[in-house]
Amino acid sequence: MKDAARLVGYFAVTVLFGALAAPPLYWAAQALAKRGIFPGLAGYDFESFFHRALLLGALLALWPFLRWLRIRGRTDLGLEPNPRWGRDLLLGFLISGLPVLACEAFLVGSPAYSMRPSPDWGAAALVIPTAIAVPFLEESLFRGLFLGILLRGLRPWTANLLSAAIFSIIHFLKAPDLTNPVVGWNSGFVSLAHSFDQFGEPMLVLAGFTTLFVIGLVLADARIRTRSLWAPIGLHAGWILSSMTFGKIARRELVALPWIGKSLLVGLVPLSVCLVSWLLLRLWLRSAAPPRS
C-alpha cells in the first residue's frame, strides 16, 4: 500500500503544478496568437490550458516519482517485450474503431444526428495527430505507470477497477464553461474547485462517467492480458479517431437520454458499443492465446 500512497502524492504534486502553471500558459498562448504566431491558440479556452498544464506536470514529475519508487524499467511495472506489437496495435485499433463507426452510421440514419452540409475535412484531418499522440501519452501514464504500480500490491481485478476509476474521474472532471471569464493567478484553483460540479447531475454521472469507467476497464484488461501497452494504445487511438472525426463531419440534432446524450460518451448506446469492443477483445485474446501443454 506504500506504492498507492506515493501515487496519491504524485497526483497532488501534478494537480498543484497544473493549477499554478495554467494561467502563464494561457497568457503566453494569447500573446503568441495576437502576434500572428499560432493564431489558432486564441480559440482555446482556459480549461484547455488547465488540462494541458496537468499533463505537463505529470510528465515533469514522472522521473523523480520513478526514482522514489525505485522503478528502473518496464519489468518492474509488469510489462514485457512484445514481438507482435504491430499486430496488437492494429487489432486494438480495429476492435475499438469499427464498432464506433457502425454506431455512427446508425446514428446518422436516426433523428439524433445528421451530416453537416459542409463538413470541415481540414479539422477532421487534424484529429489524426491527436489520435496518435494522446494514446501514447495516456496509456504510458494510466496503464503503464499507474496500473503497473497498483499491480505491485493488489490483485489484477482490484488494480483494474482502481485504475479505471482513476482514468474516468480524471477525464470526467471538467469545470463548466465560462468558469474563468477573466484569467488570474488563482484561475487554476477556481477550475479545480468547480471540476466536481458535474457530479451534481446524477443522470450525467450515470451516463458519462459509466462509459469512461468501462473504457478504462477495457484498456486495463488489454494491458494485463497482453503484458504490453500496444493493444491499449490501438484501442485508445481507434476510439479517439472515430469519435472525434465524427464530431467534425456530423452534428447532433437532439438528446435522447438514456440512449444518447450530448456526446458519444453519454448514453446507453455508447456504453453498449464499448461492451461490444470488450467482447471482441476477449474473443481475440482467447483465440490468440498459445495452447496449454
Side-chain angles (χ1 to χ4, degrees):
M1 296 301 293
K2 290 183 179 180
D3 287 349
R6 289 171 178 173
L7 185 59
V8 173
Y10 174 74
F11 281 133
V13 170
T14 297
V15 170
L16 179 61
F17 177 90
L20 292 172
L25 287 176
Y26 175 82
W27 293 327
Q30 296 303 310
L32 289 174
K34 287 181 179 179
R35 288 170 172 79
I37 305 172
F38 303 118
L41 292 174
Y44 290 92
D45 61 2
F46 176 77
E47 300 308 319
S48 299
F49 289 93
F50 177 57
H51 285 91
R52 298 303 180 274
L54 290 175
L55 181 58
L56 179 60
L59 293 174
L60 291 176
L62 182 59
W63 176 246
F65 182 56
L66 293 176
R67 294 292 299 272
W68 189 22
L69 291 175
R70 297 180 181 178
I71 294 175
R72 298 177 177 84
R74 59 186 174 187
T75 55
D76 293 331
L77 296 170
L79 294 170
E80 298 178 355
N82 185 354
R84 298 181 177 179
W85 64 271
R87 181 202 66 174
D88 289 2
L89 181 68
L90 177 60
L91 287 175
F93 181 84
L94 295 175
I95 285 172
S96 63
L98 291 180
V100 174
L101 290 175
C103 175
E104 291 168 351
F106 167 78
L107 290 175
V108 168
S110 72
Y113 278 85
S114 65
M115 294 296 294
R116 297 180 185 273
S118 300
D120 190 349
W121 294 108
L126 293 177
V127 172
I128 297 176
T130 301
I132 295 174
V134 170
F136 273 96
L137 290 173
E138 293 197 353
E139 292 312 305
S140 297
L141 283 174
F142 287 103
R143 258 61 60 178
L145 180 62
F146 301 159
L147 181 56
I149 291 171
L150 294 173
L151 286 169
R152 283 155 55 117
L154 300 172
R155 294 179 179 273
W157 262 108
T158 305
N160 188 332
L161 291 170
L162 285 176
S163 69
I166 293 171
F167 177 78
S168 54
I169 289 172
I170 289 177
H171 282 77
F172 192 72
L173 293 179
K174 186 180 185 300
D177 294 336
L178 301 179
T179 297
N180 287 286
V182 178
V183 176
W185 282 106
N186 67 330
S187 293
F189 295 98
V190 173
S191 294
L192 185 62
H194 286 278
S195 294
F196 296 88
D197 289 356
Q198 294 186 91
F199 285 92
E201 303 179 37
M203 182 59 72
L204 182 60
V205 172
L206 181 62
F209 182 82
T210 303
T211 304
L212 285 168
F213 184 74
V214 171
I215 289 174
L217 288 176
V218 177
L219 294 170
D221 192 34
R223 186 265 202 221
I224 291 173
R225 290 178 178 274
T226 62
R227 295 182 177 272
S228 168
L229 294 179
W230 291 108
I233 289 173
L235 288 163
H236 204 150
W239 275 317
I240 289 179
L241 185 63
S242 56
S243 60
M244 291 187 66
T245 302
F246 184 67
K248 304 298 183 183
I249 65 175
R251 63 185 180 190
R252 177 177 50 83
E253 300 291 349
L254 57 86
V255 174
L257 289 173
W259 303 106
I260 190 72
K262 294 181 179 180
S263 74
L264 291 180
L265 285 175
V266 178
L268 292 177
V269 172
L271 179 61
S272 300
V273 173
C274 292
L275 293 174
V276 169
S277 292
W278 200 357
L279 175 62
L280 294 174
L281 173 70
R282 284 296 192 93
L283 292 174
W284 164 54
L285 291 176
R286 182 177 297 178
S287 64
R292 297 182 180 180
S293 55

